[in-house]
Amino acid sequence: MASLSAAPAHILPGITAPASTRRRAPSIAASVCPSPASTRQIALSSHVLTPKTNSASNFRVSCSSREAKPSNRSPFILRFLVSPKSIAVASAGGILFHVANPFLGKISFLPSIGGGGDGGGHGGSGGSGGGGSGGWQGDDFWRFLSPEAVAKDDDSQQEWDSHGLPANIVVQLNKLSGYKKYKLGEIFFFDRRRGTTIGSEDSFFEMVSLRPGGIYSKAQLQKELETLATCGMFEKVDLETKTNPNGTINIKIPFLESTWQSADKFRCINVGLMAQSKPMEMDPDMTEKERLEYYMSQEQEYRMRIDGSRPCLLPTPVQKEILMMLRDHGKVSARLLQRIRDKVQQWYHENGFACANVVNFGNLNTKEVVCEVVEGDITDVVIQFQDKLGNVCEGNTRLSLINRELPRQLSRGLVFNIEAGKQALRNINSLGLFSNIEVNPRPDEQNEGGIIVEIKLKELEQKSAEVSTEWSLVPGRGGYPTLASIQPGGTVSFEHRNIKGLNRSLLGSVTTSNFLNPQDDLAFKLEYVHPYVDGIYDPRDRTFKVSCFNSRKLSPVFTGGPGIEEVPPIWVDRMGLKANVTENFTHHSKFTCGLVMEEITTRDESSHISSNGQRVLPSGGVSADGPPTTLSGTGVDQMVFLQANITRDNTKFVNGAIVGERNVFQLDQGVGIGSRFPVFNRHQLTVTKFHQLLDVKEGAGKPPPPVLVLHGHYGGCVGDLPSYDAFTLGGPYSVRGYNMGELGAARNILELAAELRIPVRNTHAYVFAEHGNDLGSSKDVKGNPTEVYRRVGHGSSYGIGAKLGLVRVEYAVDHNSGTGAFFFRFGERF
């Protein structure tokens, strides 16, 4: 049996405590996320489909690590703080999150480690990175990193030797052969003070790198014993081996746990970025006086270290809890220090400080226990551009534009927080300029305990063009489609983004249903966007936009009510110029004001200008004596008006369910320029509340909460009101269960809705009830189209539905007629 005794930790004469028990852990490299045997990594990644591209964008925040350096310090120092389990916890595993296209508006977070390559993004939570190497499930992550798995892998690759001795005999460590590789069967810890064998769930098992099934040499076993003897946790520790009939050996580790006197004070300090001290080795031939001077110098040096440290982020309530643990426990023991370490690191990791780690306890055998933490201070932020092959290149985007999007917590001198990394990813992604974004915090080789945050960016092509086509068949002369009746249609679009590296862009698109005869319904839009009007670093985030446009839409004002035959449609063409300035308060809340100049033309289904709505006569003919379609009465209006919009939006996603509140107020003000000098004030207010009914724990794979949605919309107009701008009731975004405009067209409207969403597996089902009312103002619309087309001006509906991907499947009951129908809708109602 081999035995090593740890140096005594008792109080020396005239000294309050050995200075060695006050020192920081010598074997800990002061780097974030240290690694004992294998590299641990914190990974934040996401995949995004940017508009008008099909390239996946991978965002990753990884915390690399390096091996702990060997120490030549006094053997009294506690080195048990960094262990395989604590490192896995400190590294916080990994986080993979998907940032959906901003137009889809959904963000979900899934835990993962590692991931795929650029081909399909980073895998995770079951290998969601299509073209990459996939990922591990949560349990597989711990299983993969566990020493048992490592030993198992090694076992399949290494050969081992039988001990060649009789079974069930105890063999001293120094009697083992130095030429053999021994396979371990079982490992036991035996507490001599309690006289009991402790289980593998005990924290002491964190201290050994030996694992059942592993293959080790005699030198490795001796090194393990030396490590245990000098870690500071044991007053005395032995290592006994016992032979098994199958040629393997069992190991028993008898020990006496180190204890120190009770403490009634607790202090937590941040020792990151502090220079490593190099104490002198104590000569065993020192006289008593020299030993006393040595201990006094060590004590003074440690006191100076404490005074030169910074306060840690650990809040006072948590420190008080730890203080109660110290007072309730009595004597300070190694197990108690491990519990305190776990408590401290748990708070850091739960609050996003994933690279923080407890590295040492000092001032043992005094009334105050000092906990030393390396929190992960950011020493530099480096931005790097990469080409398609991942090589470093010169980027087109200005660095000041990237720095503007970084959250304040990702600045030099502050502690790295994983939430700040996520926020940086979201902010940079919102620029829409990059196909790949990585945020990699790594240890700073020049500053112990510091972190350098690397931001790696792959830019999208500045110029792009896209053509999408569609084919339609129209009836020929005989009522059947012919080759000549095939109409090619589609959209041609182009974009020149990131002009001068300042995210300015020029966009254009042309759309028609028939390229062979485009004048019938040609629609186009040309837009120039100029962000940061006041400068990149100006707190007023204002963007200037100017666009010219031509569009055609079917007017819901000229729609028949229930029981009336189909009403000939009226199309509204708008062509004009629009300029506005938008000030962003947050990523969702903003204020916009601008000027609109447009010409409005109303046309019938034959594309002829129509000054009045049409009706189908009992004889089957069509009469054009309906309500006037324009303010001028000619079918063509010119109009200039001011437009303002303010949006307050604090919604967020909780496990995929949207909660919060969104309020929108819009105002259109006519200034008397245009046909018949229109002066009007058209205003709308929309209030939507997503009320979370149940508190749930947020995280990957957690179920979303049930949500109650309350919605109200008011629209009103004072002054001149052309028919095409009247407010309509009915439709998928007004009152469900009715067609667009089926309930009426009015000067003032009120809509109320309630929807209860219940999570069901990976989606949600819901019930809803809605009501719309024209407040008696339909008659105030010129020509009263509501009465002409026999609409009632109000209506209610209720029903059920389910969200299937992007599609809403609903069954809605029309309360006016008492009949119901199924509807398939795209997008969200609110």
Side-chain angles (χ1 to χ4, degrees), residues 139-439:
D139 294 339
D140 293 335
F141 158 54
W142 298 107
R143 196 176 303 119
F144 176 80
L145 291 181
S146 66
E148 292 90 339
V150 175
K152 184 177 180 180
D153 292 340
D154 291 342
D155 185 26
S156 63
Q157 300 176 4
Q158 299 183 21
E159 295 182 356
W160 57 281
D161 304 302
S162 174
H163 52 68
L165 300 172
N168 300 319
I169 63 171
V170 176
V171 181
Q172 295 182 6
L173 183 58
N174 58 4
K175 296 297 184 180
L176 294 178
S177 171
Y179 300 99
K180 289 187 176 183
K181 292 183 178 180
Y182 296 93
K183 184 174 182 179
L184 300 190
E186 296 179 332
I187 301 176
F188 305 95
F189 269 85
F190 180 75
D191 191 335
R192 288 180 170 177
R193 186 171 283 118
R194 299 179 182 179
T196 58
T197 299
I198 64 176
S200 58
E201 71 281 355
D202 193 279
S203 58
F204 279 159
F205 274 85
E206 299 178 3
M207 299 311 306
V208 292
S209 61
L210 306 178
R211 287 296 180 267
I215 300 172
Y216 306 94
S217 64
K218 174 183 177 181
Q220 289 176 307
L221 297 178
Q222 289 176 329
K223 181 64 176 179
E224 190 72 23
L225 178 59
E226 293 174 3
T227 301
L228 293 174
T230 58
C231 70
M233 288 188 65
F234 308 107
E235 293 181 9
K236 185 176 181 180
V237 61
D238 303 328
L239 193 151
E240 301 175 353
T241 63
K242 187 176 182 180
T243 59
N244 292 324
N246 61 358
T248 63
I249 60 174
N250 292 341
I251 287 184
K252 180 180 179 181
I253 304 176
F255 67 91
L256 286 176
E257 182 182 358
S258 295
T259 58
W260 298 268
Q261 72 177 46
S262 59
D264 55 12
K265 293 181 181 179
F266 176 78
R267 184 176 179 182
C268 182
I269 59 176
N270 179 10
V271 296
L273 306 183
M274 297 185 68
Q276 295 278 0
S277 58
K278 297 180 180 179
M280 297 174 55
E281 292 293 334
M282 185 174 64
D283 189 344
D285 297 329
M286 285 183 178
T287 63
E288 191 67 25
K289 181 179 180 180
E290 290 173 336
R291 288 175 179 268
L292 180 62
E293 292 176 350
Y294 171 80
Y295 286 129
M296 291 182 65
S297 64
Q298 293 280 51
E299 181 178 4
Q300 183 179 7
E301 181 181 347
Y302 187 70
R303 177 56 57 186
M304 293 176 61
R305 180 177 180 81
I306 293 179
D307 294 339
S309 65
R310 293 165 293 157
C312 68
L313 299 176
L314 195 68
T316 302
V318 179
Q319 297 194 39
K320 288 183 178 180
E321 290 182 27
I322 296 174
L323 184 59
M324 293 300 298
M325 292 169 58
L326 287 170
R327 292 175 177 175
D328 294 342
H329 194 273
K331 283 189 175 183
V332 177
S333 65
R335 281 190 178 91
L336 176 61
L337 294 179
Q338 284 185 319
R339 288 171 52 201
I340 293 175
R341 174 208 63 190
D342 294 340
K343 184 81 172 178
V344 172
Q345 292 186 163
Q346 179 185 9
W347 180 87
Y348 275 98
H349 301 152
E350 287 180 352
N351 288 273
F353 302 101
C355 291
N357 198 26
V358 175
V359 295
N360 186 62
F361 286 102
N363 266 15
L364 302 178
N365 265 344
T366 69
K367 291 295 183 180
E368 180 184 53
V369 172
V370 177
C371 177
E372 300 182 12
V373 182
V374 171
E375 295 181 328
D377 299 272
I378 299 174
T379 57
D380 198 8
V381 178
V382 179
I383 299 174
Q384 185 181 96
F385 293 96
Q386 296 180 333
D387 59 20
K388 294 180 179 180
L389 300 178
N391 301 316
V392 178
C393 65
E394 184 177 353
N396 177 60
T397 307
R398 298 193 184 183
L399 295 181
S400 55
L401 183 62
I402 308 301
N403 288 325
R404 187 185 192 281
E405 299 300 325
L406 300 182
R408 181 182 176 277
Q409 197 170 358
L410 210 65
S411 304
R412 296 180 185 178
L414 300 180
V415 178
F416 176 77
N417 189 285
I418 206 167
E419 293 299 326
K422 293 179 183 180
Q423 187 62 48
L425 295 176
R426 288 191 290 265
N427 292 354
I428 298 175
N429 174 57
S430 66
L431 296 175
L433 301 177
F434 307 101
S435 63
N436 188 80
I437 305 173
E438 293 183 11
V439 180

Side-chain angles (χ1 to χ4, degrees), residues 53-68:
T53 67
N54 291 322
S55 58
S57 299
N58 308 313
F59 307 101
R60 179 177 54 201
V61 175
S62 61
C63 181
S64 55
S65 57
R66 62 187 180 202
E67 299 294 333

